[in-house]
Structures are given as structure tokens and as C-alpha cells.
Amino acid sequence: MNRIRKGDQVIVIAGKNKGQKGEVSRVVGDHVFVQNVNLVKRHTKPNPQANQPGGIIEREASIDISNVQLFNSATGKGARVGFKTLEDGRKVRVFRPSGEVVDV
């Protein structure tokens, strides 16, 4: 069970994009792609078979998962995530400082 999942609101805590917030679009191993964060310019050749034009394309690059924290909207800050097993046997994610459940 991952601490950060697709669709989570996260805040970047280290690097050139520190302080930016966004939604996780995908998780690949220990890297995450966050929408409109860590944008890089990519020089691509045209590919007529895929109907793709060439030129300079701006796209999102991955960020190491250790450089993002789950955003807690109640406190307005990022928070560490832990796990807790409920009475009914479900394993859920919880915010470490407050203990409130992330997954409902």
C-alpha cells in the first residue's frame, strides 16, 4: 500500500519547485508526476505515423516521492502519512500529526 497515490493532492517540500501544490497524475516506482509542477522543455522530432508535430514541447517530469508530502486541507500544510488498521480490519492511511484518516 503506497503512501502517495494517483489523485492525491500533494505539496513539494524540496527542490526547485518547493512550495508548489498539485494533483498526482501517475506514480511510477518511487517517482510521481504532479500536474503543472516540474515542467521541462523537450525537443522532439516530428513523427508523421503518430501524427505528432515536432518542436519544443513543455511537459511534466517526475519528482522523487521523498520530495512530496500529502496536503492536509484542514491544516493547510503537508503532513507525513502513516497506516492504521481499523476495527473492521481495513488498513487506511492517516495523517501522522493529527491521526485523522485520509481514506474515507
Side-chain angles (χ1 to χ4, degrees):
M1 186 175 239
N2 292 334
R3 296 182 197 284
I4 306 288
R5 298 183 191 155
K6 179 180 175 180
D8 286 344
Q9 286 290 327
V10 295
I11 186 165
V12 181
I13 59 170
K16 67 176 185 178
N17 299 298
K18 182 177 180 177
Q20 292 185 355
K21 290 183 281 191
E23 184 177 329
V24 175
S25 57
R26 63 184 173 149
V27 179
V28 180
D30 59 347
H31 286 79
V32 293
F33 289 83
V34 183
Q35 291 178 352
N36 298 323
V37 177
N38 199 21
L39 296 174
V40 295
K41 292 187 185 318
R42 174 99 174 132
H43 296 255
T44 58
K45 291 175 82 173
N47 186 352
Q49 293 174 337
N51 202 11
Q52 179 183 1
I56 301 171
I57 298 171
E58 197 169 39
R59 67 175 190 165
E60 295 146 359
S62 65
I63 303 173
D64 198 272
I65 205 162
S66 65
N67 293 335
V68 297
Q69 277 187 338
L70 203 57
F71 184 72
N72 188 349
S73 58
T75 61
K77 298 190 287 187
R80 290 177 297 144
V81 178
F83 294 99
K84 186 183 207 178
T85 305
L86 301 178
E87 294 82 26
D88 61 355
R90 287 188 304 138
K91 186 178 176 184
V92 294
R93 297 183 297 169
V94 293
F95 288 115
R96 281 285 185 194
S98 62
E100 68 180 274
V101 177
V102 177
D103 307 320
V104 179

